[in-house]
Amino acid sequence: MTDPMGAPVEAMDRQRCFSLAELCRELGITPRSLRFYEDKGLIAPARAGTRRIYSMRDRARAKLVVRGKQLGFTLKQIKDLLDLYDADPQHRVQKVALLKEIQKRIRTLHEMNAAIATTLADLENIQQSIIESFDREEAA
DNA sequence: ATTCTTACA
DNA sequence: TGTAAGCA
């Protein structure tokens, strides 16, 4: 057997691959983005001449990249996690590292939320001051 | 018709 | 990352 991300076992399903356009369509991203991730070393599709051929494994990795981005992780963080997936078949270190990044992400999200709350309060106060100034004008 | 690389508003 | 350009 071979899980989506598994590399070791020789895949007998050597035909199920995707073209750039196919994978992009499935992932909902542009070819530019997919090539960009490749430049950053997150994906390493095979080539048929110069054409990119994405294997099931490439597709799985690409999906994780998209997923990671939706969650707000940087390509750097995603790459490090993906690399661990290869280096650690049991996914031990991988899980610990992922948990660590998730907690870090949660912390920054909380910080951002607090910052937004502060700015929101500031703007509402200013807004209120202006409204009150108008009220005073009318009363006068 | 599609994809590829490179360069840049 | 979008987009344009010049190839294959």
Side-chain angles (χ1 to χ4, degrees), chain A residues 81-131:
Chain A
L81 259 9
L82 248 29
D83 289 343
L84 280 181
Y85 207 112
D86 294 328
D88 172 32
Q90 300 308 304
H91 309 162
R92 295 246 179 62
V93 182
Q94 215 262 342
K95 285 184 179 180
V96 175
L98 175 58
L99 177 60
K100 192 176 177 182
E101 292 306 309
I102 287 177
Q103 299 179 322
K104 180 195 296 180
R105 180 61 182 152
I106 288 177
R107 285 201 299 279
T108 77
L109 243 22
H110 277 310
E111 291 172 2
M112 292 171 75
N113 187 281
I116 289 176
T118 298
T119 302
L120 210 47
D122 288 345
L123 289 172
E124 289 173 332
N125 283 328
I126 295 173
Q127 169 184 251
Q128 193 54 41
S129 295
I130 295 176
I131 291 176

Side-chain angles (χ1 to χ4, degrees), chain A residues 26-76:
Chain A
E26 188 180 332
L27 298 177
I29 62 179
T30 65
R32 178 74 169 89
S33 297
L34 202 46
R35 296 194 190 98
F36 188 75
Y37 303 152
E38 183 182 332
D39 285 334
K40 294 304 178 183
L42 290 110
I43 309 173
R47 297 287 186 127
T50 81
R51 265 59 168 161
R52 267 166 263 250
I53 301 299
Y54 297 87
S55 65
M56 291 301 282
R57 177 166 172 289
D58 294 324
R59 189 211 55 139
R61 289 180 61 105
K63 276 194 172 184
L64 289 177
V65 173
V66 173
R67 177 63 170 146
K69 287 204 62 187
Q70 296 179 318
L71 295 176
F73 291 107
T74 65
L75 289 184
K76 165 63 176 173

